Amino acid sequence: MEIGYGLIPAAWGQWYATEAVAELVRHLHTWPDVRTLTAETSVTNLASERVLQKLGFRRTGSSWSEEDGDLHTWAHQR
């Protein structure tokens, strides 16, 4: 299952993303069919990379999207 999130600039640096994503990860891993969560971050979005790293996501590779350009891909195992 892929997760995604975004915050308005006024909320950046306030730990909202970390808290929200932590709860989302916890909740989704209670679902019996969810074994792996995935996410993508823009290669320039170091703050989101730090959020995912703090929560135990591991970088799995790279990809590209027309909207965001070069991306890092991430996974979190139950």
Side-chain angles (χ1 to χ4, degrees):
M1 178 176 290
E2 184 173 15
I3 65 166
Y5 58 92
L7 298 172
I8 61 171
W12 293 353
Q14 304 296 315
W15 288 75
Y16 298 134
T18 302
E19 292 178 17
V21 174
E23 182 59 25
L24 182 61
V25 166
R26 186 201 63 73
H27 178 72
L28 292 175
H29 278 315
T30 67
W31 295 12
D33 293 341
V34 176
R35 288 184 168 50
T36 304
L37 301 174
T38 61
E40 296 177 325
T41 58
S42 169
V43 298
T44 61
N45 190 342
L46 300 180
S48 280
E49 289 194 0
R50 284 191 300 274
V51 167
L52 296 177
Q53 288 170 336
K54 283 180 205 173
L55 299 175
F57 280 77
R58 299 290 176 239
R59 194 165 149 211
T60 58
S62 59
S63 65
W64 184 86
S65 80
E66 191 170 318
E67 182 179 347
D68 296 313
D70 291 324
L71 302 168
H72 289 151
T73 58
W74 302 83
H76 188 281
Q77 304 290 323
R78 177 169 33 174

